Amino acid sequence: FKWIPDGRAATLEAHCEKSLEALGRPIDLYLLHVPDPKTPFATQVRALMSLRERGLVKAVGLSNVSRAQLDEAVSLGMDVAAVQLGLSLLDDSAIRGGVVAGALSRDITVLCHSPLGGPKKFEQLGDLLFRVRDAVDVSKDEQVLPHLQIARQADVGGGEVRFLEDLDLVLFERLAKRE
C-alpha cells in the first residue's frame, strides 16, 4: 500500500467528516499531513480554513511544509495553530530551512515527529552515538547523556526547540542491548 497525498478540497472535507464520525466529537487539531503537489497549496489551505470556520475542527495546522508554504498559509489568513515537522539529531533541515524559526516567531506551536530519525535513519543514529562514545575515554553513561542533553536543545533565532525528553532513555536502552 502506497499512500498518495490528495489535497483537493472535497477530499480534505470528506476525510474530516469520516474522522468526525469515527471520533463522535469535534476535532481539536486537524493537520494537512503533507502538501499535495498536484493541488495548489492555496486550495489546500482554504479548505482547512473552511473546516475551521464551519466548526468542524477547533484548530488547523500544517505538517511537513517548507518555510515558503508556511508563509503562504499565513498570508492567506490561515490561523495556523501548529506545524508538525520531522526533526532529529540526523535531520535538522526544518531548522536550517527556517520553518521552525518562522513558526516560533508567530507563536505557532512546533510539533516534532521522528526524533530518532524514523525507521530509515535509526541505525545511523545508533552508529553515530557509538562513534562519539568510542572517541572519548569515558564510560558510555558519562559520554552519551551530556551529548544528548546538548543536542536536545537548539537555538533558532529567538526561540528554542527541545527534543523529546525520552530520547536519552530510548538510546540508553538501545545501547545496552547492542553491547
Side-chain angles (χ1 to χ4, degrees):
F1 172 75
K2 182 179 179 184
W3 180 80
I4 299 172
D6 187 346
R8 295 174 296 170
T11 303
L12 293 175
E13 182 176 338
H15 288 174
C16 179
E17 289 173 357
K18 286 180 184 176
S19 295
L20 281 167
E21 185 179 317
L23 291 170
R25 61 180 300 275
I27 297 170
D28 294 321
L29 176 62
Y30 197 70
L31 294 172
L32 178 67
H33 179 69
V34 64
D36 175 2
K38 295 180 183 175
T39 304
F41 188 65
T43 299
Q44 298 169 74
V45 168
R46 288 188 185 103
L48 291 175
M49 291 168 52
S50 173
L51 296 173
R52 184 171 181 264
E53 290 164 4
R54 293 172 36 216
L56 298 175
V57 300
K58 293 180 182 177
V60 291
L62 303 167
S63 186
N64 303 306
V65 293
S66 67
R67 172 67 186 259
Q69 290 168 322
L70 174 61
D71 293 344
E72 181 180 351
V74 170
S75 73
L76 290 168
M78 182 178 187
D79 182 13
V80 182
V83 174
Q84 182 183 44
L85 306 160
L87 190 60
S88 74
L89 298 174
L90 297 171
D91 181 6
D92 65 350
S93 59
I95 293 173
R96 287 183 289 107
V99 184
V100 173
L104 294 176
S105 70
R106 295 175 169 112
D107 292 323
I108 297 172
T109 299
V110 175
L111 307 170
C112 300
H113 67 77
S114 305
L116 299 177
K120 293 180 181 176
K121 293 185 179 177
F122 183 75
E123 288 298 323
Q124 291 175 357
L125 183 60
D127 293 340
L128 171 67
L129 293 175
F130 281 115
R131 286 196 310 271
V132 168
R133 186 199 68 205
D134 294 343
V136 181
D137 187 26
V138 292
S139 77
K140 72 173 187 216
D141 293 345
E142 293 172 324
Q143 179 60 30
V144 175
L145 184 57
H147 282 275
L148 287 176
Q149 288 174 335
I150 291 168
R152 281 188 293 141
Q153 296 185 15
D155 182 21
V156 288
E160 196 174 83
V161 176
R162 296 182 195 274
F163 289 87
L164 294 177
E165 291 297 321
D166 291 341
L167 185 61
D168 52 351
L169 300 176
V170 171
L171 292 172
F172 276 129
E173 289 174 11
R174 177 159 172 69
L175 289 172
K177 289 178 184 173
R178 267 184 97 166
E179 293 185 336

